[in-house]
Amino acid sequence: MKRNAEFTLSLIATIFLTIGWVFTGVVTILVGFTPSTDGYGWFIYLMVYTLLSIPLLVLIWMATFKIKNNSKGWGIFILVMGVLYTLSVYFVPGILLLIAGIMMVAKKTDRLNVSA
């Protein structure tokens, strides 16, 4: 079964998340080079946030391309990431991942058609 809608939604969300990650990295570098001491706390926060989001971003890229294999596990992962990202700063990609995850989990597969 083709899952073009789920793939497209998760691909758009993943691209938005990657752009957001790059933007956060640039802001982290700019905050780190400011000479004031007030920016040090923000620098540490943004650095930790940027470094912790790398594995999640890699897993979301993997899940996006595993959707075509009708994998329920990756669909559940995309659904969970959609919920988490909806509650964070990345609201729009979170909604897209949430919709793709719901579609992935709710759609029936053709492999279960076994006649008795």
Side-chain angles (χ1 to χ4, degrees):
M1 177 183 297
K2 294 187 179 189
R3 296 191 178 271
N4 291 330
E6 293 92 336
F7 176 74
T8 305
L9 284 172
S10 63
L11 185 65
I12 292 170
T14 307
I15 290 171
F16 282 162
L17 286 172
T18 304
I19 291 170
W21 179 80
V22 169
F23 179 73
T24 305
V26 169
V27 169
T28 303
I29 291 171
L30 292 177
V31 168
F33 284 127
T34 56
S36 69
T37 59
D38 297 334
Y40 185 70
W42 280 105
F43 173 72
I44 296 297
Y45 171 75
L46 289 173
M47 182 63 80
V48 168
Y49 186 78
T50 303
L51 291 176
L52 288 179
S53 64
I54 291 172
L56 292 178
L57 199 56
V58 168
L59 286 173
I60 291 172
W61 273 104
M62 286 175 45
T64 298
F65 290 103
K66 297 285 186 177
I67 282 178
K68 295 278 188 169
N69 297 339
N70 287 331
S71 175
K72 289 269 189 191
W74 287 110
I76 293 170
F77 175 75
I78 287 179
L79 180 65
V80 169
M81 288 294 106
V83 169
L84 290 178
Y85 278 118
T86 301
L87 299 174
S88 74
V89 177
Y90 302 113
F91 182 73
V92 174
I95 292 293
L96 293 175
L97 286 175
L98 187 64
I99 293 170
I102 290 171
M103 289 173 65
M104 182 73 181
V105 172
K107 194 181 280 187
K108 294 182 181 179
T109 59
D110 287 337
R111 289 187 277 175
L112 298 176
N113 290 340
V114 178
S115 32

